[in-house]
């Protein structure tokens, strides 16, 4: 079973101050090159769910490939994934964060060149623009079904699969309860907020064992050659038909009154809560 | 402007249709030019049969189409709705993952442009201006959509209009789609979730962040919430550490709440979380770090350990209740 997990390396939003946002807005530059990076939170959960499938795999059926569309900063995360057991690591180079449509075409082209993949996993949305478009556009480009916000995956018994038809067991939250079902592959699945799916941490031994692992890098032009992505993206890197008019920092501060001392809770109650929590 | 409103049958479908109508009204769309498409399936009908008929009565547009599937898959829905939407200049999809999936996939298939989680919109001719939050809620982005057809899913934060139903003669068509499941699902079961009072309805909320430190303390804070008659909620890190269940999560990927009072303990105040509580009447924040952004986003801030401050605050509240 060939599984591809796509993720992004993003600036850690928890380390970006209000001033950073204001400076970014003034410069119209939201790359934050000096802020430490992390794997996009939902992509992290997708990676962990993929590793759990490998944990279940006693027969060597599962082959994991990790892909990131981005600059060299994602290589540290790809090395972590190698240490954790990913079999192949790829980066499609992009100097800056690509538009979701470009990323979608890059992923779809990558799959045509290196696949086919039985299962493609990615986070539902990234923390930047958060459009959630990438997995859906990839689904259309590859004409694969797409299942949104799954919570868990598990392998089916080997004798339920044939060479022609593989299956996977999926759990997700539906409108009326938790849905469990066995689905035919191939499939694209997105992962939302799933409790307890923070990515495991590799040991030093695991890191040393994979320190020379090769990260395959492709240039974006090469990956995208043959696709018609340019019909959908303007020279400014925006989706055709969509014009970005402004980006304005959101001010969330209130006129706060700070209380200290032994009687702080009494004073807060008197000033703000009396009559409201009875 | 010819348009469609698309909503999937679900427990909150009436609210979703009401929000769609708010958005449509903000774009000065008229009932006579619109078609409401209701997507249903066998499982939904088992839970919602009467509510679906009530929803049909409340459709605000002159035309309505009800499509019923044996099983809901977004790929099947796209194929079925395409003939009804491909000549509409604008297609509005109810908020949530289903609406987003349909909007983006329909746009990729048919052409035009898509937009997800639109929070507000205005229209001038065939140009639509949309606002939404970006970068985890730190930035408000304003876009112009200039090349129809448009496929827009709306955000959960859009307010609900009062739905009265189209007052003239409504044209309703119903179709049963005999489409086999492309995923050939087997062994499908649905386990109902334990019912819990929705955070959105609470008058007082006690929200905790990763400062609680562990599952035991998180559960103790939930007990304190109950003591003062508050609902308990939390930030994403608390859920991701599996200290509390997902239905307690507040923020852009959890509940958006507007209680009269929100007490926030041990949370750093990330914009993504704050987006969930910004509609609160009064915010009280408790944190050991006097530089915590959350303390600046509150009306009252107490600098201190939540393990010491929260019990005292709870005691003060319960003392005055008696």
């Amino acid at each position: 079973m060939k599984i591809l997990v796509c993720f992004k390396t993003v600036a850690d939003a928890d380390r970006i101050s209000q001033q950073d946002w204001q400076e970014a807005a003034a410069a119209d530059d939201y790359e934050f090159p000096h802020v430490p990076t992390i794997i996009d939170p939902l992509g992290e959960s997708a990676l962990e769910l993929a590793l759990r499938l490998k944990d279940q795999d006693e027969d060597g059926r599962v082959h994991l490939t990790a892909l990131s569309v981005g600059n060299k900063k994602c290589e540290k995360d790809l090395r972590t994934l190698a240490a954790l057991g990913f079999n192949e690591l790829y980066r499609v180079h992009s100097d800056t964060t690509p538009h979701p449509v470009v990323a979608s075409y890059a992923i779809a082209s990558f799959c045509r060149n290196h696949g086919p993949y039985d299962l493609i996993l990615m986070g539902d949305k990234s923390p930047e623009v958060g459009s959630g478009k990438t997995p859906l556009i990839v689904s259309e480009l590859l004409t694969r079904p797409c299942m949104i916000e799954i919570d868990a995956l598990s392998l089916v018994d080997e004798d339920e699969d044939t060479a022609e038809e593989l299956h996977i067991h999926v759990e997700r939250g539906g409108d009326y309860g938790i849905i469990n079902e066995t689905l035919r592959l191939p499939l694209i699945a997105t992962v939302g907020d799933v409790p307890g799916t923070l990515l495991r941490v590799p040991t030093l031994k695991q890191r040393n064992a994979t320190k020379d692992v090769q990260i395959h890098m492709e240039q974006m032009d090469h990956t995208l050659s043959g696709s018609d992505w340019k019909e959908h993206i303007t020279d400014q890197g925006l989706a055709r038909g969509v014009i970005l008019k402004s980006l304005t920092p959101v001010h969330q501060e209130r006129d706060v009154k700070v209380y200290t001392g032994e009687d702080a809770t009494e004073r807060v109650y008197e000033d703000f809560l009396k009559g409201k929590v009875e | 402007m010819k348009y469609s409103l698309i909503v999937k049958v679900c427990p909150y479908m009436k609210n979703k249709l009401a929000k769609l109508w708010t958005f449509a009204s903000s774009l000065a769309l008229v009932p006579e030019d619109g078609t409401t498409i209701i997507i249903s399936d066998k499982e939904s009908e088992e839970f919602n049969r009467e509510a679906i008929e009530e929803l049909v009565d409340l459709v605000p547009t002159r035309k309505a189409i009800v499509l019923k599937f044996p099983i809901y898959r977004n790929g099947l829905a796209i194929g079925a709705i395409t003939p009804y939407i491909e000549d509409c200049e604008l297609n509005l999809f109810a908020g949530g993952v289903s609406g987003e999936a349909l909007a983006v996939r329909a746009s990729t298939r048919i052409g035009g442009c898509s937009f997800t989680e639109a929070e507000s919109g205005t229209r001038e001719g065939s140009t639509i201006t949309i606002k939404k939050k970006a970068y985890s809620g730190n930035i408000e982005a304003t876009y112009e959509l200039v090349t129809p057809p448009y496929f827009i899913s709306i955000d959960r934060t859009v307010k609900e209009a009062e739905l009265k139903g189209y007052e003239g003669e409504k044209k309703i068509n119903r179709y049963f789609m005999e489409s086999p499941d492309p995923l050939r699902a087997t062994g499908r079961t649905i386990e109902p979730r334990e019912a819990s009072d929705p955070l959105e309805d609470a008058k007082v909320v006690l929200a905790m962040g990763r400062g609680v430190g562990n599952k035991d303390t998180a559960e103790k804070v939930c007990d304190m919430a109950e003591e003062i008659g508050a609902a308990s909620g939390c930030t994403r890190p608390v859920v991701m550490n599996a200290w509390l269940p997902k239905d307690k999560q507040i923020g852009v990927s959890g509940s958006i709440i507007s209680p009269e009072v929100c007490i926030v303990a041990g949370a750093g105040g990330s914009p993504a979380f704050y987006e969930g509580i910004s509609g609160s009447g009064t915010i009280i924040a408790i944190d050991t770090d006097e530089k915590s952004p959350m303390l600046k986003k509150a009306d009252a801030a107490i600098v201190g350990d939540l393990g010491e401050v929260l019990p005292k605050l709870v005691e003060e509240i319960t003392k005055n209740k008696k």
Side-chain angles (χ1 to χ4, degrees), chain A residues 242-277:
Chain A
V242 181
I243 301 172
L244 176 62
K245 300 298 285 183
S246 65
L247 290 171
T248 312
V250 174
H251 292 284
Q252 296 178 327
E253 293 178 2
R254 294 190 175 198
D255 200 13
V256 66
K257 197 171 167 188
V258 181
Y259 292 75
T260 55
E262 285 294 314
D263 62 344
T265 50
E266 285 170 30
R267 288 184 288 133
V268 164
Y269 178 83
E270 277 300 315
D271 294 345
F272 288 95
L273 299 177
K274 194 172 181 180
K276 292 180 186 171
V277 288

Side-chain angles (χ1 to χ4, degrees), chain A residues 157-217:
Chain A
D157 290 338
E158 198 176 2
D159 53 15
E160 289 186 50
D161 281 343
T162 65
E164 291 79 34
E165 213 166 274
L166 299 181
H167 297 81
I168 196 130
H169 191 82
V170 173
E171 179 183 306
R172 62 190 171 93
D175 289 328
Y176 307 102
I178 297 165
I179 301 174
N180 275 279
E181 53 190 345
T182 299
L183 302 176
R184 185 184 67 156
L185 296 174
L187 178 67
I188 296 171
T190 77
V191 183
D193 282 316
V194 183
T197 56
L198 296 173
L199 187 65
R200 59 194 71 178
V201 178
T203 63
L204 194 55
K205 189 174 171 184
Q206 285 173 317
R207 284 203 183 272
N208 284 337
T210 54
K211 65 179 167 54
D212 296 324
V213 77
Q214 187 185 7
I215 294 174
H216 304 281
M217 197 273 283

Side-chain angles (χ1 to χ4, degrees), chain B residues 78-110:
Chain B
I78 291 291
I81 67 174
T82 295
Y84 305 109
I85 66 173
E86 59 190 350
D87 64 345
C88 290
E89 219 173 330
L90 168 64
N91 302 285
L92 292 176
F93 295 80
V97 295
S98 299
E100 287 168 19
L102 293 177
V104 175
R105 293 187 68 173
S107 167
T108 308
R109 244 181 240 204
I110 295 170

